[in-house]
Amino acid sequence: MNRPEHAPADHPQLPARKIGVLIANLGTPDGTDYWSMRRYLNEFLSDKRVIDYPSWKWQPLLQTVILTKRPFSSGANYKTIWNNDADESPLMTITKEQVAALRDRAQTLWGDRVMVDFCMRYGNPSTPDVVDRMVRAGCDRILFFPLYPQYAGATTATANDQFFRALMTQKRQPAARTVPAYFDRPDYIAALAASVRRALGDRTPRKLVASYHGMPKRYLTEGDPYHCQCQKTSRLLREALGWDAGVIDTTFQSVFGPEEWLRPYTVEHVAELAKQGITEIAVISPAFSADCIETLEEIQGEIREAFVHAGGREFTYIPCLNADPDHIDTLTAIVAENLGGWI
Protein backbone atom coordinates (compact mmCIF):
# COMPACT_ATOMS: atom_id res chain seq x y z
CA MET A 1 0.00 0.00 0.00
CA ASN A 2 1.26 3.50 -0.81
CA ARG A 3 0.03 7.05 -1.22
CA PRO A 4 -0.19 8.36 -4.81
CA GLU A 5 2.59 10.73 -5.83
CA HIS A 6 1.77 14.42 -5.12
CA ALA A 7 -1.28 13.39 -3.05
CA PRO A 8 -1.97 15.21 0.24
CA ALA A 9 -0.92 13.56 3.47
CA ASP A 10 -4.47 12.54 4.32
CA HIS A 11 -5.09 10.76 0.98
CA PRO A 12 -5.98 7.08 1.47
CA GLN A 13 -3.19 4.66 0.69
CA LEU A 14 -3.72 2.51 -2.38
CA PRO A 15 -2.38 -0.91 -3.38
CA ALA A 16 0.17 -1.12 -6.18
CA ARG A 17 -1.43 -1.32 -9.62
CA LYS A 18 -1.83 -4.83 -10.99
CA ILE A 19 -3.42 -6.62 -13.92
CA GLY A 20 -5.86 -9.35 -12.99
CA VAL A 21 -6.34 -12.61 -14.89
CA LEU A 22 -9.59 -14.19 -13.74
CA ILE A 23 -10.14 -17.81 -14.79
CA ALA A 24 -13.80 -18.93 -14.77
CA ASN A 25 -15.39 -22.34 -14.85
CA LEU A 26 -18.97 -23.59 -14.58
CA GLY A 27 -19.17 -24.30 -10.89
CA THR A 28 -19.59 -26.92 -8.24
CA PRO A 29 -21.73 -27.56 -5.17
CA ASP A 30 -20.09 -26.99 -1.79
CA GLY A 31 -21.09 -30.49 -0.69
CA THR A 32 -23.13 -33.52 -1.66
CA ASP A 33 -25.88 -32.99 0.91
CA TYR A 34 -29.42 -32.00 -0.08
CA TRP A 35 -29.21 -28.29 0.73
CA SER A 36 -25.80 -27.76 -0.87
CA MET A 37 -27.04 -29.47 -4.02
CA ARG A 38 -30.31 -27.54 -3.97
CA ARG A 39 -28.55 -24.16 -3.70
CA TYR A 40 -26.24 -25.05 -6.57
CA LEU A 41 -28.95 -26.47 -8.83
CA ASN A 42 -31.29 -23.57 -8.10
CA GLU A 43 -28.67 -21.04 -9.18
CA PHE A 44 -27.73 -23.09 -12.25
CA LEU A 45 -31.24 -23.93 -13.43
CA SER A 46 -32.57 -20.41 -12.75
CA ASP A 47 -30.09 -18.92 -15.22
CA LYS A 48 -32.00 -17.65 -18.26
CA ARG A 49 -28.99 -18.47 -20.45
CA VAL A 50 -29.37 -22.12 -19.46
CA ILE A 51 -33.16 -22.48 -19.32
CA ASP A 52 -34.79 -19.65 -21.25
CA TYR A 53 -38.43 -20.51 -20.56
CA PRO A 54 -40.57 -17.69 -19.07
CA SER A 55 -40.16 -17.51 -15.30
CA TRP A 56 -43.91 -17.84 -14.68
CA LYS A 57 -43.80 -21.17 -16.51
CA TRP A 58 -40.44 -22.53 -15.36
CA GLN A 59 -39.98 -21.45 -11.74
CA PRO A 60 -43.05 -23.21 -10.26
CA LEU A 61 -41.91 -26.47 -11.86
CA LEU A 62 -38.31 -25.92 -10.76
CA GLN A 63 -39.09 -25.00 -7.16
CA THR A 64 -41.86 -27.51 -6.43
CA VAL A 65 -40.88 -30.57 -8.46
CA ILE A 66 -37.30 -30.55 -9.80
CA LEU A 67 -35.58 -29.11 -6.70
CA THR A 68 -37.54 -31.44 -4.46
CA LYS A 69 -36.11 -34.57 -6.10
CA ARG A 70 -33.06 -33.76 -8.17
CA PRO A 71 -30.73 -32.71 -5.27
CA PHE A 72 -30.94 -36.28 -3.95
CA SER A 73 -30.02 -37.96 -7.25
CA SER A 74 -27.39 -35.36 -8.14
CA GLY A 75 -25.89 -35.59 -4.67
CA ALA A 76 -25.66 -39.36 -4.99
CA ASN A 77 -23.86 -38.96 -8.33
CA TYR A 78 -21.40 -36.45 -6.87
CA LYS A 79 -20.66 -38.79 -3.96
CA THR A 80 -19.29 -41.37 -6.41
CA ILE A 81 -16.60 -38.95 -7.63
CA TRP A 82 -16.14 -36.61 -4.63
CA ASN A 83 -12.58 -35.80 -3.53
CA ASN A 84 -13.06 -36.83 0.08
CA ASP A 85 -9.52 -35.92 1.15
CA ALA A 86 -10.02 -32.27 0.18
CA ASP A 87 -13.83 -32.37 0.68
CA GLU A 88 -14.49 -30.87 -2.73
CA SER A 89 -15.51 -31.86 -6.22
CA PRO A 90 -12.87 -32.96 -8.76
CA LEU A 91 -13.66 -29.85 -10.81
CA MET A 92 -12.60 -27.68 -7.87
CA THR A 93 -9.44 -29.71 -7.28
CA ILE A 94 -8.41 -29.59 -10.93
CA THR A 95 -9.24 -25.90 -11.32
CA LYS A 96 -6.99 -25.13 -8.34
CA GLU A 97 -4.19 -27.13 -9.97
CA GLN A 98 -4.64 -25.28 -13.26
CA VAL A 99 -4.61 -21.89 -11.57
CA ALA A 100 -1.57 -22.76 -9.46
CA ALA A 101 0.31 -23.71 -12.64
CA LEU A 102 -0.82 -20.51 -14.38
CA ARG A 103 0.32 -18.44 -11.39
CA ASP A 104 3.76 -19.99 -11.64
CA ARG A 105 3.94 -19.17 -15.35
CA ALA A 106 2.67 -15.63 -14.76
CA GLN A 107 5.21 -15.06 -11.99
CA THR A 108 8.01 -16.18 -14.30
CA LEU A 109 6.82 -14.02 -17.19
CA TRP A 110 5.54 -10.89 -15.45
CA GLY A 111 6.47 -11.00 -11.79
CA ASP A 112 4.08 -9.37 -9.33
CA ARG A 113 2.44 -7.23 -11.99
CA VAL A 114 -0.15 -9.93 -12.78
CA MET A 115 -2.55 -11.49 -10.28
CA VAL A 116 -4.14 -14.83 -11.29
CA ASP A 117 -7.28 -16.06 -9.56
CA PHE A 118 -10.37 -18.12 -10.36
CA CYS A 119 -14.12 -18.03 -9.89
CA MET A 120 -17.15 -20.17 -10.61
CA ARG A 121 -20.27 -19.07 -12.46
CA TYR A 122 -22.40 -21.06 -10.01
CA GLY A 123 -21.41 -21.73 -6.43
CA ASN A 124 -18.15 -20.67 -4.80
CA PRO A 125 -15.86 -18.85 -5.14
CA SER A 126 -18.41 -16.56 -6.74
CA THR A 127 -17.54 -14.17 -9.55
CA PRO A 128 -18.58 -11.01 -7.61
CA ASP A 129 -16.50 -12.02 -4.59
CA VAL A 130 -13.35 -12.66 -6.61
CA VAL A 131 -13.76 -9.51 -8.74
CA ASP A 132 -14.07 -7.50 -5.51
CA ARG A 133 -10.95 -9.17 -4.11
CA MET A 134 -8.97 -8.38 -7.24
CA VAL A 135 -10.05 -4.74 -7.29
CA ARG A 136 -9.15 -4.32 -3.61
CA ALA A 137 -5.76 -5.90 -4.39
CA GLY A 138 -5.08 -3.13 -6.93
CA CYS A 139 -6.22 -4.66 -10.24
CA ASP A 140 -7.25 -1.75 -12.45
CA ARG A 141 -7.44 -4.05 -15.49
CA ILE A 142 -8.94 -7.55 -15.54
CA LEU A 143 -8.73 -10.20 -18.25
CA PHE A 144 -11.70 -12.53 -17.81
CA PHE A 145 -11.07 -16.04 -19.15
CA PRO A 146 -13.98 -18.52 -19.30
CA LEU A 147 -12.42 -21.97 -19.71
CA TYR A 148 -14.70 -23.09 -22.53
CA PRO A 149 -12.89 -23.86 -25.79
CA GLN A 150 -16.14 -23.64 -27.77
CA TYR A 151 -18.45 -20.66 -27.29
CA ALA A 152 -22.01 -21.23 -26.13
CA GLY A 153 -24.55 -18.85 -24.71
CA ALA A 154 -25.15 -21.21 -21.79
CA THR A 155 -21.45 -21.35 -20.86
CA THR A 156 -19.22 -18.54 -22.14
CA ALA A 157 -21.92 -15.89 -22.38
CA THR A 158 -23.44 -16.46 -18.97
CA ALA A 159 -19.96 -16.39 -17.38
CA ASN A 160 -19.32 -13.06 -19.10
CA ASP A 161 -22.73 -11.78 -18.00
CA GLN A 162 -21.88 -12.52 -14.38
CA PHE A 163 -18.49 -10.84 -14.73
CA PHE A 164 -20.09 -7.68 -16.10
CA ARG A 165 -22.69 -7.72 -13.33
CA ALA A 166 -19.85 -7.93 -10.80
CA LEU A 167 -18.20 -4.89 -12.38
CA MET A 168 -21.43 -2.93 -11.93
CA THR A 169 -20.96 -3.06 -8.15
CA GLN A 170 -17.49 -1.50 -8.17
CA LYS A 171 -17.03 2.18 -7.30
CA ARG A 172 -13.76 2.19 -9.18
CA GLN A 173 -14.44 -0.04 -12.12
CA PRO A 174 -11.43 -1.71 -13.74
CA ALA A 175 -10.93 -1.87 -17.48
CA ALA A 176 -12.01 -5.28 -18.74
CA ARG A 177 -11.39 -7.75 -21.53
CA THR A 178 -12.85 -11.18 -22.19
CA VAL A 179 -11.08 -14.09 -23.86
CA PRO A 180 -12.76 -15.43 -27.01
CA ALA A 181 -13.34 -19.09 -27.84
CA TYR A 182 -10.20 -21.04 -28.71
CA PHE A 183 -11.74 -24.17 -30.26
CA ASP A 184 -9.52 -24.09 -33.36
CA ARG A 185 -6.19 -22.90 -31.97
CA PRO A 186 -3.35 -25.11 -33.22
CA ASP A 187 -1.84 -25.46 -29.73
CA TYR A 188 -5.18 -26.50 -28.23
CA ILE A 189 -5.72 -29.06 -31.00
CA ALA A 190 -2.14 -30.30 -30.57
CA ALA A 191 -2.72 -30.75 -26.83
CA LEU A 192 -5.89 -32.76 -27.52
CA ALA A 193 -4.05 -34.91 -30.08
CA ALA A 194 -1.22 -35.54 -27.62
CA SER A 195 -3.73 -36.67 -24.98
CA VAL A 196 -5.21 -39.15 -27.46
CA ARG A 197 -1.77 -40.55 -28.31
CA ARG A 198 -0.94 -40.93 -24.62
CA ALA A 199 -4.12 -42.91 -24.06
CA LEU A 200 -4.07 -45.03 -27.22
CA GLY A 201 -0.42 -45.17 -28.24
CA ASP A 202 -0.01 -45.84 -31.95
CA ARG A 203 -3.38 -47.58 -32.13
CA THR A 204 -6.13 -46.05 -34.26
CA PRO A 205 -9.50 -46.99 -32.78
CA ARG A 206 -12.41 -48.02 -34.98
CA LYS A 207 -14.24 -45.12 -33.36
CA LEU A 208 -13.23 -42.19 -31.23
CA VAL A 209 -16.39 -40.57 -29.90
CA ALA A 210 -15.92 -36.86 -29.25
CA SER A 211 -18.68 -36.18 -26.72
CA TYR A 212 -19.58 -32.54 -26.16
CA HIS A 213 -22.02 -31.10 -23.68
CA GLY A 214 -25.39 -30.77 -25.36
CA MET A 215 -27.83 -27.91 -25.74
CA PRO A 216 -31.32 -27.52 -27.23
CA LYS A 217 -31.28 -27.71 -31.02
CA ARG A 218 -33.32 -24.52 -31.05
CA TYR A 219 -30.31 -22.56 -29.78
CA LEU A 220 -28.42 -23.46 -32.96
CA THR A 221 -31.20 -22.12 -35.18
CA GLU A 222 -31.28 -18.97 -33.04
CA GLY A 223 -27.64 -18.23 -33.84
CA ASP A 224 -25.51 -19.97 -31.21
CA PRO A 225 -22.25 -21.11 -32.93
CA TYR A 226 -21.50 -23.92 -30.47
CA HIS A 227 -22.51 -26.81 -32.74
CA CYS A 228 -20.36 -25.58 -35.61
CA GLN A 229 -17.36 -24.99 -33.36
CA CYS A 230 -17.65 -28.51 -31.90
CA GLN A 231 -17.72 -30.00 -35.39
CA LYS A 232 -14.63 -28.03 -36.37
CA THR A 233 -12.75 -29.11 -33.24
CA SER A 234 -13.44 -32.76 -34.08
CA ARG A 235 -12.33 -32.31 -37.69
CA LEU A 236 -9.11 -30.55 -36.72
CA LEU A 237 -8.36 -33.20 -34.11
CA ARG A 238 -8.80 -35.96 -36.70
CA GLU A 239 -6.51 -34.13 -39.12
CA ALA A 240 -3.89 -33.59 -36.40
CA LEU A 241 -3.93 -37.33 -35.67
CA GLY A 242 -3.68 -38.18 -39.35
CA TRP A 243 -6.79 -40.37 -39.27
CA ASP A 244 -9.22 -41.07 -42.10
CA ALA A 245 -12.66 -39.45 -42.26
CA GLY A 246 -15.21 -41.36 -40.23
CA VAL A 247 -12.97 -42.41 -37.36
CA ILE A 248 -14.17 -39.60 -35.08
CA ASP A 249 -17.88 -39.18 -34.36
CA THR A 250 -19.18 -35.95 -32.81
CA THR A 251 -21.95 -36.50 -30.26
CA PHE A 252 -23.69 -34.59 -27.47
CA GLN A 253 -24.46 -35.56 -23.89
CA SER A 254 -26.31 -34.32 -20.77
CA VAL A 255 -29.74 -33.95 -22.37
CA PHE A 256 -32.22 -32.26 -20.03
CA GLY A 257 -35.91 -31.43 -20.42
CA PRO A 258 -38.52 -32.18 -23.09
CA GLU A 259 -36.99 -30.34 -26.07
CA GLU A 260 -34.96 -31.97 -28.81
CA TRP A 261 -31.25 -31.33 -28.24
CA LEU A 262 -28.29 -31.47 -30.58
CA ARG A 263 -27.90 -34.96 -31.99
CA PRO A 264 -26.66 -37.62 -31.98
CA TYR A 265 -26.99 -38.20 -28.24
CA THR A 266 -23.83 -39.82 -26.88
CA VAL A 267 -25.60 -42.40 -24.72
CA GLU A 268 -27.68 -43.64 -27.67
CA HIS A 269 -24.82 -43.43 -30.16
CA VAL A 270 -22.37 -45.61 -28.23
CA ALA A 271 -25.06 -48.27 -27.78
CA GLU A 272 -25.77 -48.21 -31.51
CA LEU A 273 -22.05 -48.61 -32.26
CA ALA A 274 -21.95 -51.72 -30.08
CA LYS A 275 -25.01 -53.15 -31.82
CA GLN A 276 -23.26 -52.59 -35.16
CA GLY A 277 -20.34 -54.71 -33.97
CA ILE A 278 -17.99 -51.88 -33.05
CA THR A 279 -17.20 -53.24 -29.61
CA GLU A 280 -14.02 -51.25 -28.86
CA ILE A 281 -14.28 -47.46 -28.69
CA ALA A 282 -12.56 -44.49 -27.07
CA VAL A 283 -14.33 -41.39 -25.80
CA ILE A 284 -12.93 -37.88 -25.39
CA SER A 285 -14.59 -34.68 -24.11
CA PRO A 286 -13.06 -31.69 -25.93
CA ALA A 287 -15.56 -29.15 -24.56
CA PHE A 288 -14.49 -29.65 -20.94
CA SER A 289 -11.25 -28.07 -19.73
CA ALA A 290 -11.33 -30.17 -16.56
CA ASP A 291 -12.82 -33.51 -15.62
CA CYS A 292 -16.09 -33.07 -13.78
CA ILE A 293 -19.44 -34.74 -13.05
CA GLU A 294 -20.23 -34.93 -16.77
CA THR A 295 -17.05 -36.85 -17.56
CA LEU A 296 -16.24 -38.77 -14.38
CA GLU A 297 -19.80 -39.89 -13.61
CA GLU A 298 -21.89 -39.50 -16.76
CA ILE A 299 -19.41 -40.69 -19.39
CA GLN A 300 -17.66 -43.29 -17.24
CA GLY A 301 -20.93 -44.36 -15.65
CA GLU A 302 -24.14 -44.04 -17.65
CA ILE A 303 -22.56 -43.84 -21.11
CA ARG A 304 -20.07 -46.65 -20.49
CA GLU A 305 -22.88 -48.83 -19.13
CA ALA A 306 -25.04 -48.17 -22.21
CA PHE A 307 -22.16 -49.29 -24.44
CA VAL A 308 -21.43 -52.45 -22.44
CA HIS A 309 -25.11 -53.35 -22.08
CA ALA A 310 -25.46 -53.20 -25.88
CA GLY A 311 -22.55 -55.60 -26.38
CA GLY A 312 -19.49 -53.36 -26.17
CA ARG A 313 -16.32 -54.83 -24.71
CA GLU A 314 -13.60 -52.18 -24.43
CA PHE A 315 -14.42 -48.60 -23.46
CA THR A 316 -11.47 -46.21 -23.12
CA TYR A 317 -12.08 -42.79 -21.61
CA ILE A 318 -9.46 -40.17 -22.50
CA PRO A 319 -9.20 -37.65 -19.64
CA CYS A 320 -9.69 -33.92 -20.13
CA LEU A 321 -6.57 -31.79 -20.52
CA ASN A 322 -6.80 -30.74 -16.87
CA ALA A 323 -3.42 -29.44 -15.60
CA ASP A 324 -1.39 -31.23 -18.25
CA PRO A 325 1.69 -29.13 -19.19
CA ASP A 326 0.56 -28.90 -22.83
CA HIS A 327 -2.75 -27.48 -21.65
CA ILE A 328 -1.06 -25.00 -19.32
CA ASP A 329 1.20 -23.94 -22.20
CA THR A 330 -1.88 -23.25 -24.31
CA LEU A 331 -3.68 -21.33 -21.57
CA THR A 332 -0.57 -19.28 -20.86
CA ALA A 333 -0.21 -18.40 -24.54
CA ILE A 334 -3.87 -17.35 -24.69
CA VAL A 335 -3.43 -15.14 -21.64
CA ALA A 336 -0.25 -13.57 -23.01
CA GLU A 337 -1.88 -12.76 -26.35
CA ASN A 338 -4.93 -11.22 -24.71
CA LEU A 339 -2.80 -9.09 -22.39
CA GLY A 340 -1.26 -7.42 -25.44
CA GLY A 341 -1.00 -3.67 -24.93
CA TRP A 342 -1.56 -4.05 -21.20
CA ILE A 343 1.80 -5.54 -20.33
Side-chain angles (χ1 to χ4, degrees):
M1 302 288 285
N2 54 69
R3 190 173 294 109
E5 189 178 2
H6 306 304
D10 61 350
H11 191 287
Q13 291 195 339
L14 300 175
R17 294 177 61 197
K18 294 185 180 68
I19 296 170
V21 175
L22 181 51
I23 305 300
N25 215 320
L26 182 76
T28 171
D30 294 325
T32 61
D33 60 282
Y34 174 84
W35 289 109
S36 293
M37 291 303 311
R38 182 175 178 122
R39 283 193 300 272
Y40 173 72
L41 290 171
N42 183 50
E43 185 179 11
F44 175 46
L45 296 175
S46 293
D47 186 346
K48 284 297 187 76
R49 289 278 195 180
V50 176
I51 307 290
D52 64 354
Y53 300 150
S55 296
W56 65 265
K57 184 177 182 180
W58 173 243
Q59 282 298 322
L61 176 64
L62 176 64
Q63 300 300 329
T64 62
V65 178
I66 295 173
L67 291 180
T68 299
K69 300 177 180 179
R70 195 174 179 91
F72 290 110
S73 59
S74 294
N77 290 339
Y78 266 99
K79 283 180 182 178
T80 66
I81 65 166
W82 200 252
N83 181 348
N84 292 309
D85 291 337
D87 192 22
E88 62 190 19
S89 73
L91 176 65
M92 180 67 76
T93 302
I94 294 167
T95 301
K96 288 178 178 178
E97 292 171 352
Q98 292 170 328
V99 170
L102 282 170
R103 281 183 182 137
D104 288 344
R105 301 290 182 87
Q107 181 67 35
T108 299
L109 290 169
W110 306 300
D112 295 333
R113 291 179 292 168
V114 172
M115 173 182 179
V116 180
D117 211 333
F118 77 97
C119 64
M120 299 293 183
R121 170 60 184 90
Y122 315 105
N124 296 305
S126 74
T127 306
D129 285 350
V130 181
V131 167
D132 188 63
R133 180 162 70 238
M134 296 184 102
V135 171
R136 286 188 284 106
C139 294
D140 60 359
R141 289 158 289 176
I142 297 177
L143 175 67
F144 186 69
F145 190 173
L147 284 188
Y148 305 112
Q150 299 81 17
Y151 171 95
T155 54
T156 310
T158 190
N160 288 340
D161 290 346
Q162 191 74 341
F163 174 57
F164 297 136
R165 280 190 287 266
L167 293 180
M168 291 171 63
T169 67
Q170 295 299 319
K171 290 288 186 184
R172 183 170 182 173
Q173 195 176 68
R177 292 176 179 172
T178 61
V179 173
Y182 53 99
F183 63 99
D184 57 354
R185 282 181 62 99
D187 47 4
Y188 163 67
I189 298 298
L192 285 178
S195 74
V196 173
R197 294 189 188 99
R198 279 195 300 273
L200 302 181
D202 296 330
R203 177 169 58 94
T204 300
R206 288 188 66 186
K207 284 292 181 183
L208 172 63
V209 177
S211 181
Y212 298 82
H213 197 287
M215 71 177 186
K217 184 178 180 181
R218 171 172 54 87
Y219 292 9
L220 168 63
T221 61
E222 291 171 350
D224 195 303
Y226 177 71
H227 178 267
C228 300
Q229 294 183 1
C230 293
Q231 295 286 353
K232 187 171 183 181
T233 296
S234 294
R235 175 176 62 79
L236 293 174
L237 174 59
R238 179 183 61 78
E239 292 173 355
L241 290 166
W243 293 352
D244 295 334
V247 177
I248 298 182
D249 290 349
T250 297
T251 64
F252 300 90
Q253 64 183 87
S254 309
V255 177
F256 177 80
E259 282 193 76
E260 181 179 3
W261 280 41
L262 296 175
R263 289 182 179 271
Y265 299 155
T266 305
V267 67
E268 295 177 358
H269 187 72
V270 298
E272 185 60 32
L273 289 176
K275 291 174 184 176
Q276 293 172 3
I278 301 175
T279 58
E280 299 177 3
I281 65 171
V283 179
I284 192 171
S285 301
F288 298 98
S289 62
D291 277 305
C292 53
I293 189 74
E294 287 85 359
T295 64
L296 299 174
E297 192 281 326
E298 185 180 359
I299 289 181
Q300 298 194 72
E302 177 190 0
I303 291 169
R304 180 194 294 268
E305 289 169 7
F307 177 68
V308 172
H309 182 74
R313 293 197 306 269
E314 184 175 335
F315 184 102
T316 301
Y317 173 66
I318 300 171
C320 294
L321 295 178
N322 297 327
D324 182 84
D326 290 340
H327 193 207
I328 301 304
D329 287 345
T330 297
L331 300 181
T332 302
I334 293 171
V335 168
E337 290 171 15
N338 282 272
L339 289 180
W342 276 3
I343 197 165

